[in-house]
Amino acid sequence: MIEIKSLSATYDNKKYLNFPDWQLTQGDFCLMLGPSGSGKSTLLHILSGIMQPNKGHVTIAETDIFKLSQVKRDKFRGKNIGLIFQKPHLIDSLSVRDNMFMAQYFAGEKTDLSRVKTVLAEVNIADKLNSKTYELSQGEAQRVSIARAMLNKPKVILADEPTSSLDDDNCEAVYQILAEQAKKNGASLLISTHDQRLKNHIPNHLTL
Ligand code: ADP
């Protein structure tokens, strides 16, 4: 489960972003909507523990994440939270396999080729294991980034505009893969987007 309470954030101590109290039950899906500048990316950064709020609580998997030290919070993120962005943020000089190994390494896990192969197969991209990431199409690169986010079987998946730069076919494929992976792991899925195409898929909305 994800829960936020009395949460607010600021970048410059002048303007404050206040977020509504909200919770998402384990395994449920939610779409985060709101105009540009309403705080969607900020909230995702807070939920992933990358940005510290100036007030309030964030509870993920029964853990108040801002009570953890920075080091423990980074480990917690690696193990429990799958992050997906609009751009895949893969390291071009490395193969798909080595990009995946890095995610295991940063979560403090041993590199596990069999798990890497399994997840790549689940997102229909097993044949790209040894490809360099610059050889991938946009849709393929986004699948790799989803596979990377799912490697450690996260309890929470946070996706920031994961489909906005994709054509209709890839948008549908990427959504279906995200939903399948979330269901398979019993994970909660929060997608921040202005992509109207996703509204039909997820009726539960958090509007900022
Ligand atoms: P959204 O994702 O909904 O477009 P953001 O979370 O990016 O909104 O931004 C919310 C507000 O915070 C905006 O007013 C934006 O200008 C401000 N903001 C975002 N990032 C920074 C930053 N690094 N420094 C200062 N202000 C920022």
Side-chain angles (χ1 to χ4, degrees):
M1 186 171 98
I2 314 176
E3 186 174 36
I4 61 176
K5 241 183 185 167
S6 313
L7 198 65
S8 82
T10 185
Y11 287 98
D12 53 12
N13 289 317
K14 280 184 225 143
K15 190 177 149 194
Y16 288 84
L17 290 160
N18 297 308
F19 299 99
D21 290 353
W22 169 80
Q23 62 181 49
L24 187 62
T25 305
Q26 192 62 40
D28 279 359
F29 294 4
C30 182
L31 216 55
M32 174 158 49
L33 303 168
S36 182
S38 59
K40 300 184 297 298
S41 298
T42 304
L43 183 55
L44 284 184
H45 288 147
I46 294 173
L47 289 174
S48 58
I50 294 167
M51 178 178 174
Q52 185 104 26
N54 72 301
K55 152 171 124 44
H57 296 278
V58 174
T59 309
I60 291 178
E62 280 122 60
T63 305
D64 187 336
I65 61 168
F66 291 102
K67 288 205 170 133
L68 299 175
S69 67
Q70 174 86 49
V71 172
K72 286 198 171 146
R73 197 156 62 239
D74 289 343
K75 278 258 161 73
F76 180 88
R77 180 188 315 118
K79 276 188 198 289
N80 296 289
I81 301 177
L83 289 171
I84 295 142
F85 302 96
Q86 184 174 2
K87 297 216 167 102
H89 295 300
L90 301 170
I91 298 175
D92 274 351
S93 56
L94 298 180
S95 65
V96 168
R97 184 195 57 196
D98 289 343
N99 269 276
M100 302 286 275
F101 280 168
M102 278 187 60
Q104 292 176 324
Y105 172 79
F106 282 121
E109 305 277 328
K110 282 201 185 126
T111 53
D112 178 350
L113 183 58
S114 138
R115 173 72 187 148
V116 168
K117 285 182 173 169
T118 301
V119 188
L120 288 176
E122 284 172 5
V123 302
N124 302 323
I125 206 164
D127 55 325
K128 303 292 179 189
L129 178 70
N130 294 309
S131 301
K132 287 281 196 295
T133 57
Y134 60 75
E135 295 167 339
L136 305 174
S137 72
Q138 254 193 333
E140 288 168 343
Q142 194 58 306
R143 282 168 198 234
V144 173
S145 82
I146 293 172
R148 179 183 56 187
M150 303 314 302
L151 262 184
N152 304 316
K153 300 184 178 165
K155 297 187 179 66
V156 168
I157 303 167
L158 303 175
D160 195 358
E161 300 280 4
T163 55
S164 301
S165 55
L166 300 177
D167 61 32
D168 287 351
D169 287 348
N170 274 309
C171 169
E172 184 61 26
V174 159
Y175 171 73
Q176 292 301 344
I177 286 168
L178 265 176
E180 260 168 40
Q181 287 291 318
K183 279 186 194 147
K184 191 168 193 164
N185 290 304
S188 309
L189 172 64
L190 177 63
I191 302 179
S192 156
T193 195
H194 63 267
D195 192 337
Q196 298 291 327
R197 298 171 294 186
L198 293 182
K199 282 192 181 170
N200 298 331
H201 286 300
I202 304 182
N204 180 20
H205 297 165
L206 163 63
T207 304
L208 299 185

Tab-separated table of all heavy atoms in Angstrom, residues 83-108:
chain	number	residue	atom	x	y	z
A	83	LEU	N	10.802	2.142	-11.000
A	83	LEU	CA	10.618	3.483	-11.572
A	83	LEU	C	10.720	3.432	-13.096
A	83	LEU	O	11.665	2.855	-13.641
A	83	LEU	CB	11.718	4.420	-11.058
A	83	LEU	CG	11.642	4.835	-9.594
A	83	LEU	CD1	12.906	5.579	-9.204
A	83	LEU	CD2	10.416	5.700	-9.372
A	84	ILE	N	9.743	4.062	-13.745
A	84	ILE	CA	9.747	4.127	-15.202
A	84	ILE	C	9.497	5.567	-15.627
A	84	ILE	O	8.606	6.224	-15.080
A	84	ILE	CB	8.648	3.203	-15.775
A	84	ILE	CG1	8.976	1.747	-15.433
A	84	ILE	CG2	8.523	3.358	-17.284
A	84	ILE	CD1	7.816	0.918	-15.103
A	85	PHE	N	10.282	6.042	-16.558
A	85	PHE	CA	10.178	7.440	-16.975
A	85	PHE	C	9.747	7.525	-18.439
A	85	PHE	O	9.683	6.520	-19.141
A	85	PHE	CB	11.532	8.141	-16.782
A	85	PHE	CG	12.010	8.088	-15.361
A	85	PHE	CD1	12.901	7.106	-14.960
A	85	PHE	CD2	11.554	8.995	-14.420
A	85	PHE	CE1	13.337	7.033	-13.638
A	85	PHE	CE2	11.985	8.923	-13.104
A	85	PHE	CZ	12.881	7.951	-12.716
A	86	GLN	N	9.492	8.774	-18.879
A	86	GLN	CA	9.083	8.969	-20.274
A	86	GLN	C	10.187	8.489	-21.208
A	86	GLN	O	9.938	7.833	-22.205
A	86	GLN	CB	8.790	10.451	-20.518
A	86	GLN	CG	8.273	10.723	-21.909
A	86	GLN	CD	7.847	12.169	-22.097
A	86	GLN	OE1	7.979	12.990	-21.185
A	86	GLN	NE2	7.346	12.485	-23.255
A	87	LYS	N	11.424	8.832	-20.842
A	87	LYS	CA	12.570	8.338	-21.621
A	87	LYS	C	13.169	7.166	-20.847
A	87	LYS	O	13.200	7.193	-19.616
A	87	LYS	CB	13.605	9.447	-21.781
A	87	LYS	CG	13.063	10.622	-22.560
A	87	LYS	CD	14.145	11.243	-23.437
A	87	LYS	CE	13.538	12.199	-24.423
A	87	LYS	NZ	13.695	13.606	-24.023
A	88	PRO	N	13.679	6.163	-21.559
A	88	PRO	CA	14.113	4.945	-20.860
A	88	PRO	C	15.355	5.110	-19.972
A	88	PRO	O	15.566	4.318	-19.066
A	88	PRO	CB	14.401	3.975	-22.002
A	88	PRO	CG	13.755	4.537	-23.204
A	88	PRO	CD	13.688	6.021	-23.016
A	89	HIS	N	16.170	6.151	-20.193
A	89	HIS	CA	17.385	6.363	-19.391
A	89	HIS	C	18.237	5.106	-19.273
A	89	HIS	O	18.579	4.677	-18.162
A	89	HIS	CB	17.034	6.871	-17.981
A	89	HIS	CG	16.404	8.227	-17.999
A	89	HIS	ND1	17.029	9.334	-18.510
A	89	HIS	CD2	15.190	8.647	-17.581
A	89	HIS	CE1	16.241	10.376	-18.413
A	89	HIS	NE2	15.110	9.993	-17.873
A	90	LEU	N	18.553	4.523	-20.426
A	90	LEU	CA	19.462	3.371	-20.431
A	90	LEU	C	20.868	3.889	-20.715
A	90	LEU	O	21.030	4.981	-21.285
A	90	LEU	CB	19.040	2.381	-21.520
A	90	LEU	CG	17.619	1.837	-21.365
A	90	LEU	CD1	17.191	1.067	-22.609
A	90	LEU	CD2	17.504	0.940	-20.135
A	91	ILE	N	21.869	3.112	-20.314
A	91	ILE	CA	23.250	3.541	-20.576
A	91	ILE	C	23.678	2.984	-21.933
A	91	ILE	O	23.769	1.772	-22.132
A	91	ILE	CB	24.181	3.081	-19.441
A	91	ILE	CG1	23.705	3.739	-18.156
A	91	ILE	CG2	25.624	3.446	-19.742
A	91	ILE	CD1	24.427	3.294	-16.932
A	92	ASP	N	23.887	3.916	-22.875
A	92	ASP	CA	24.089	3.542	-24.277
A	92	ASP	C	25.314	2.670	-24.516
A	92	ASP	O	25.330	1.846	-25.413
A	92	ASP	CB	24.220	4.811	-25.137
A	92	ASP	CG	22.856	5.319	-25.554
A	92	ASP	OD1	21.856	4.602	-25.317
A	92	ASP	OD2	22.788	6.430	-26.101
A	93	SER	N	26.351	2.901	-23.707
A	93	SER	CA	27.590	2.162	-23.980
A	93	SER	C	27.516	0.722	-23.467
A	93	SER	O	28.405	-0.072	-23.724
A	93	SER	CB	28.772	2.880	-23.332
A	93	SER	OG	28.513	3.020	-21.952
A	94	LEU	N	26.448	0.385	-22.752
A	94	LEU	CA	26.321	-0.973	-22.199
A	94	LEU	C	25.259	-1.763	-22.962
A	94	LEU	O	24.337	-1.187	-23.542
A	94	LEU	CB	25.915	-0.918	-20.726
A	94	LEU	CG	26.874	-0.236	-19.750
A	94	LEU	CD1	26.301	-0.277	-18.342
A	94	LEU	CD2	28.246	-0.901	-19.774
A	95	SER	N	25.388	-3.075	-22.883
A	95	SER	CA	24.370	-3.944	-23.485
A	95	SER	C	23.110	-3.915	-22.620
A	95	SER	O	23.129	-3.441	-21.474
A	95	SER	CB	24.896	-5.378	-23.554
A	95	SER	OG	25.084	-5.856	-22.243
A	96	VAL	N	22.030	-4.462	-23.176
A	96	VAL	CA	20.786	-4.589	-22.408
A	96	VAL	C	21.068	-5.385	-21.131
A	96	VAL	O	20.659	-5.002	-20.033
A	96	VAL	CB	19.704	-5.281	-23.271
A	96	VAL	CG1	18.509	-5.697	-22.427
A	96	VAL	CG2	19.286	-4.363	-24.411
A	97	ARG	N	21.805	-6.486	-21.275
A	97	ARG	CA	22.101	-7.334	-20.113
A	97	ARG	C	22.811	-6.534	-19.010
A	97	ARG	O	22.449	-6.599	-17.836
A	97	ARG	CB	22.986	-8.512	-20.552
A	97	ARG	CG	23.277	-9.501	-19.445
A	97	ARG	CD	24.409	-10.407	-19.831
A	97	ARG	NE	25.589	-9.599	-20.146
A	97	ARG	CZ	26.649	-10.045	-20.801
A	97	ARG	NH1	26.693	-11.279	-21.210
A	97	ARG	NH2	27.663	-9.244	-21.045
A	98	ASP	N	23.808	-5.742	-19.399
A	98	ASP	CA	24.573	-5.016	-18.385
A	98	ASP	C	23.754	-3.878	-17.762
A	98	ASP	O	23.909	-3.561	-16.585
A	98	ASP	CB	25.889	-4.502	-18.968
A	98	ASP	CG	26.862	-5.648	-19.231
A	98	ASP	OD1	26.643	-6.746	-18.665
A	98	ASP	OD2	27.816	-5.473	-20.011
A	99	ASN	N	22.854	-3.276	-18.552
A	99	ASN	CA	21.938	-2.288	-17.962
A	99	ASN	C	21.082	-2.948	-16.891
A	99	ASN	O	20.807	-2.361	-15.843
A	99	ASN	CB	21.031	-1.690	-19.049
A	99	ASN	CG	21.622	-0.436	-19.686
A	99	ASN	OD1	21.470	0.653	-19.159
A	99	ASN	ND2	22.311	-0.605	-20.802
A	100	MET	N	20.662	-4.177	-17.163
A	100	MET	CA	19.821	-4.899	-16.192
A	100	MET	C	20.651	-5.281	-14.953
A	100	MET	O	20.186	-5.154	-13.816
A	100	MET	CB	19.249	-6.164	-16.840
A	100	MET	CG	18.441	-5.885	-18.072
A	100	MET	SD	16.837	-5.176	-17.702
A	100	MET	CE	15.906	-6.646	-17.401
A	101	PHE	N	21.876	-5.730	-15.196
A	101	PHE	CA	22.741	-6.089	-14.056
A	101	PHE	C	22.935	-4.896	-13.114
A	101	PHE	O	23.017	-5.056	-11.901
A	101	PHE	CB	24.110	-6.566	-14.551
A	101	PHE	CG	24.148	-7.995	-15.018
A	101	PHE	CD1	25.239	-8.486	-15.718
A	101	PHE	CD2	23.099	-8.866	-14.744
A	101	PHE	CE1	25.279	-9.812	-16.145
A	101	PHE	CE2	23.132	-10.195	-15.170
A	101	PHE	CZ	24.222	-10.662	-15.872
A	102	MET	N	23.019	-3.694	-13.704
A	102	MET	CA	23.242	-2.511	-12.858
A	102	MET	C	22.103	-2.307	-11.865
A	102	MET	O	22.311	-1.910	-10.718
A	102	MET	CB	23.391	-1.258	-13.721
A	102	MET	CG	24.801	-1.145	-14.260
A	102	MET	SD	25.059	0.395	-15.096
A	102	MET	CE	24.728	1.556	-13.821
A	103	ALA	N	20.872	-2.602	-12.314
A	103	ALA	CA	19.716	-2.433	-11.417
A	103	ALA	C	19.792	-3.418	-10.257
A	103	ALA	O	19.443	-3.087	-9.115
A	103	ALA	CB	18.421	-2.625	-12.194
A	104	GLN	N	20.268	-4.627	-10.528
A	104	GLN	CA	20.422	-5.612	-9.444
A	104	GLN	C	21.533	-5.173	-8.494
A	104	GLN	O	21.391	-5.241	-7.271
A	104	GLN	CB	20.740	-6.998	-10.044
A	104	GLN	CG	19.556	-7.575	-10.801
A	104	GLN	CD	19.868	-8.902	-11.488
A	104	GLN	OE1	20.973	-9.121	-11.980
A	104	GLN	NE2	18.882	-9.770	-11.546
A	105	TYR	N	22.608	-4.678	-9.085
A	105	TYR	CA	23.748	-4.230	-8.271
A	105	TYR	C	23.340	-3.100	-7.325
A	105	TYR	O	23.633	-3.122	-6.127
A	105	TYR	CB	24.874	-3.781	-9.220
A	105	TYR	CG	26.033	-3.132	-8.535
A	105	TYR	CD1	26.993	-3.907	-7.887
A	105	TYR	CD2	26.168	-1.747	-8.521
A	105	TYR	CE1	28.067	-3.306	-7.237
A	105	TYR	CE2	27.221	-1.147	-7.874
A	105	TYR	CZ	28.168	-1.925	-7.234
A	105	TYR	OH	29.209	-1.324	-6.589
A	106	PHE	N	22.605	-2.105	-7.856
A	106	PHE	CA	22.242	-0.949	-7.020
A	106	PHE	C	21.223	-1.311	-5.939
A	106	PHE	O	21.098	-0.607	-4.947
A	106	PHE	CB	21.742	0.212	-7.874
A	106	PHE	CG	22.855	0.963	-8.538
A	106	PHE	CD1	22.920	1.082	-9.912
A	106	PHE	CD2	23.873	1.534	-7.772
A	106	PHE	CE1	23.973	1.757	-10.524
A	106	PHE	CE2	24.929	2.206	-8.366
A	106	PHE	CZ	24.972	2.318	-9.750
A	107	ALA	N	20.496	-2.414	-6.151
A	107	ALA	CA	19.558	-2.847	-5.104
A	107	ALA	C	20.266	-3.733	-4.083
A	107	ALA	O	19.635	-4.251	-3.162
A	107	ALA	CB	18.392	-3.601	-5.734
A	108	GLY	N	21.568	-3.916	-4.260
A	108	GLY	CA	22.324	-4.740	-3.307
A	108	GLY	C	22.106	-6.225	-3.546
A	108	GLY	O	22.354	-7.058	-2.687
